[in-house]
Amino acid sequence: MIFMEKVMEKLRTASFLIANISVYQDIKADPVIQCYIDLLENLTEDECGLPLNYLVAEYAAICAQLYESKHIGRFFDYIYNKVLLSENLFSVESAKGNFGTLPEYIKCAVTRDLNALYALTCITSEDIKAALNYRYPEDSDLIELLPEYESEPFCYRNIGCWGDNAAKIAEYHHHNGIGVFSEQIAFRFDGEAIVPVKNIDAIRLSDLKHYEAQRNKIVENTLSFLHSKPCNNILLYGDRGTGKSSTVKALLNEYYGMGLRIVQVEKKNLNNLSKLIEMLADNPLKFIIFIDDLSFSHQDDTYASLKAVLEGGVAARPENTLIYATSNRRHLVRETFSDRDGDEIHRGDTIQESLSLADRFGLSVNFSLPSKEKYLAIVEELAKQRGLEEYIDQLKQGAEQWAIARGGRSPRCARQFMNSAEAKIKLGRNA
């Protein structure tokens, strides 16, 4: 009986503490925690008139969602991860480096909330089963068949009582940002919401061969951005397959540890670009807004939204965002001879309007197709990187034939050939 009294008191205390959370209110909306709160309330009522099946269904739903989560049934890890992802006054101000200036009553509230959430993680499957047995002793055999979850930490070992570590959590936010941005590094903007991209191209700067002068300009600008020094929006333009998009993706893989994130925007969503920038404005991380394969028709007026954000709008661009765009066109707006010979009286003004967008990028970097010698040098470097030095002569011959068949030489063409050739070699066939 003493054991049961301790279990029920443990559940009642956790239920009371969770009900009085203030700073971390958003966590209570999580489906697992919401369901757990309901279960605790029902189990600790003086007179629970609910049937056993109802409470069992609640408990089973909790286990099912924990199993399906990335933490695979680990309750402690699940809740602590929600703490790290929470967007609230404490996490936002901590991300800005303002934890030390928060009022003491806010810090006390944070401590209470963290201790309440920690108390929730201390409830085990055995505690829930014991409480159910206490309520429904006639069904003890059935209750023993219920599923279980793991209460011990796995990913977050040795962190102690959470309330005592508020300063460490604040430091985490300062270095990693808030919400999903602290956990993911690449995103896309669908016009309304920022959506994480889970399968990221793993390309690194070291994987990109030649074009060092072009990439050095972009790297220097990016490092200036990350160190809050003067920097420019960049237009990467030139021939297809020369590594423009790959360079931007490689920057993310190289510098995400310094707080860099990328949000990709498709042209159809450019009209909402100012909305995206407002959504990112208060985040302490640095964001490259990436627009790939950008071009406009002469009749397309959506470029006005991009122009206003680059330079010219009333609102200044926040210091935590830059725009990197790639295009096969230097001037971005497709123009025909008929456009130049049109019947507009001031057609010179129209032409200047079309060309003005590209001019608003502070830095334009040209990527042009390599010569035959440079193309074969890229193939040779890729071969060395992949440990295929003994096949270099054979690979060069095959790479040239591959390029002729595809109508041109480019770094992308070289990489595609090497992927095919490496597979053949490892299968014991001629490259």
Side-chain angles (χ1 to χ4, degrees):
M1 182 58 79
I2 294 176
F3 168 75
M4 279 312 309
E5 288 177 357
K6 288 183 177 179
V7 169
M8 297 306 293
E9 182 60 27
K10 182 179 181 181
L11 268 56
R12 276 191 289 270
T13 300
S15 180
F16 175 81
L17 293 173
I18 289 295
N20 288 281
I21 278 179
S22 55
V23 178
Y24 281 88
Q25 274 282 322
D26 61 319
I27 286 185
K28 291 171 70 173
D30 176 78
V32 170
I33 296 175
Q34 191 175 59
C35 202
Y36 214 110
I37 291 171
D38 290 341
L39 178 61
L40 290 181
E41 288 178 352
N42 291 325
L43 281 173
T44 55
E45 284 182 357
D46 291 336
E47 294 185 9
C48 181
L50 295 171
L52 173 62
N53 284 351
Y54 182 88
L55 299 184
V56 165
E58 278 193 317
Y59 175 69
I62 293 168
C63 291
Q65 291 179 82
L66 287 174
Y67 296 162
E68 290 296 322
S69 75
K70 67 179 182 180
H71 300 290
I72 321 175
R74 298 186 179 100
F75 191 43
F76 184 102
D77 288 355
Y78 181 91
I79 297 183
Y80 192 70
N81 183 246
K82 294 300 176 183
V83 168
L84 297 182
L85 292 177
S86 177
E87 297 186 40
N88 55 60
L89 172 66
F90 164 69
S91 62
V92 171
E93 291 303 312
S94 296
K96 295 177 182 177
N98 297 334
F99 171 71
T101 62
L102 284 173
E104 283 303 314
Y105 58 86
I106 297 293
K107 292 180 181 178
C108 289
V110 169
T111 298
R112 284 195 299 270
D113 286 4
L114 291 173
N115 284 336
L117 291 164
Y118 180 76
L120 191 62
T121 68
C122 295
I123 299 173
T124 66
S125 296
E126 290 74 17
D127 292 332
I128 299 297
K129 289 183 180 182
L132 288 170
N133 268 315
Y134 176 72
R135 291 291 188 184
Y136 309 92
E138 68 278 7
D139 294 308
S140 58
D141 290 344
L142 294 175
I143 291 169
E144 285 304 312
L145 299 176
L146 292 179
E148 297 181 349
Y149 57 79
E150 176 58 64
S151 299
E152 293 298 317
F154 180 76
C155 297
Y156 304 109
R157 294 190 179 107
N158 302 321
I159 59 174
C161 185
W162 300 353
D164 297 335
N165 288 284
K168 291 183 179 179
I169 296 173
E171 190 66 19
Y172 170 87
H173 289 303
H174 185 52
H175 288 292
N176 298 282
I178 55 176
V180 69
F181 297 109
S182 67
E183 195 171 52
Q184 302 287 339
I185 62 174
F187 306 84
R188 61 178 179 82
F189 178 61
D190 63 9
E192 295 295 330
I194 300 172
V195 183
V197 176
K198 295 183 179 179
N199 297 317
I200 304 169
D201 190 338
I203 193 165
R204 303 299 295 259
L205 290 173
S206 58
D207 297 326
L208 303 173
K209 308 304 179 186
H210 290 257
Y211 299 89
E212 286 85 358
Q214 290 91 330
R215 272 193 294 278
N216 285 342
K217 293 179 182 178
I218 299 166
V219 167
E220 288 174 6
N221 189 77
T222 304
L223 289 173
S224 293
F225 175 49
L226 292 173
H227 289 101
S228 300
K229 304 299 182 185
C231 51
N232 286 299
N233 299 306
I234 301 181
L235 173 64
L236 297 79
Y237 73 95
D239 298 305
R240 69 188 192 279
T242 49
K244 302 182 296 294
S245 301
S246 295
T247 296
V248 178
K249 290 183 284 187
L251 289 172
L252 175 64
N253 292 322
E254 206 73 33
Y255 300 118
Y256 71 87
M258 295 175 63
L260 182 65
R261 302 291 184 266
I262 281 184
V263 183
Q264 183 165 359
V265 182
E266 295 181 10
K267 194 184 82 168
K268 64 182 181 181
N269 294 318
L270 286 180
N271 283 331
N272 287 332
L273 190 56
S274 59
K275 176 180 178 179
L276 169 62
I277 289 177
E278 288 179 9
M279 293 167 70
L280 300 174
D282 293 329
N283 198 300
L285 298 173
K286 301 286 188 177
F287 294 89
I288 289 176
I289 298 174
F290 177 38
I291 310 169
D292 197 23
D293 198 20
L294 181 63
S295 67
F296 300 93
S297 66
H298 188 69
Q299 294 78 24
D300 189 350
D301 61 358
T302 58
Y303 66 82
S305 299
L306 179 56
K307 282 178 62 178
V309 170
L310 287 168
E311 286 182 35
V314 174
R317 175 180 54 80
E319 293 183 356
N320 71 330
T321 60
L322 277 184
I323 296 175
Y324 284 13
T326 68
S327 179
N328 294 335
R329 297 173 176 274
R330 169 65 180 88
H331 296 298
L332 297 178
V333 181
R334 293 192 293 273
E335 188 179 26
T336 65
F337 285 111
S338 61
D339 293 328
R340 298 234 170 193
D341 296 334
D343 58 0
E344 186 177 354
I345 295 175
H346 300 292
R347 66 178 183 274
D349 292 344
T350 301
I351 292 170
Q352 289 301 315
E353 172 73 12
S354 298
L355 300 180
S356 65
L357 176 58
D359 291 341
R360 299 200 179 197
F361 287 91
L363 185 61
S364 295
V365 182
N366 180 29
F367 288 72
S368 56
L369 288 174
S371 63
K372 177 180 178 179
E373 290 74 19
K374 187 171 287 188
Y375 168 71
L376 294 177
I378 292 172
V379 172
E380 183 172 349
E381 288 189 31
L382 289 172
K384 290 178 180 178
Q385 187 180 48
R386 301 180 186 209
L388 303 175
E389 295 92 332
E390 61 182 297
Y391 302 97
I392 284 179
D393 291 339
Q394 178 186 348
L395 290 169
K396 284 184 176 181
Q397 183 178 355
E400 182 62 13
Q401 294 172 352
W402 182 279
I404 292 171
R406 281 155 180 75
R409 307 178 186 93
S410 71
R412 180 190 296 161
C413 180
R415 190 168 58 252
Q416 290 171 342
F417 166 74
M418 285 301 303
N419 290 340
S420 175
E422 182 180 9
K424 289 180 179 179
I425 289 171
K426 289 182 177 179
L427 290 171
R429 296 154 57 190
N430 292 328

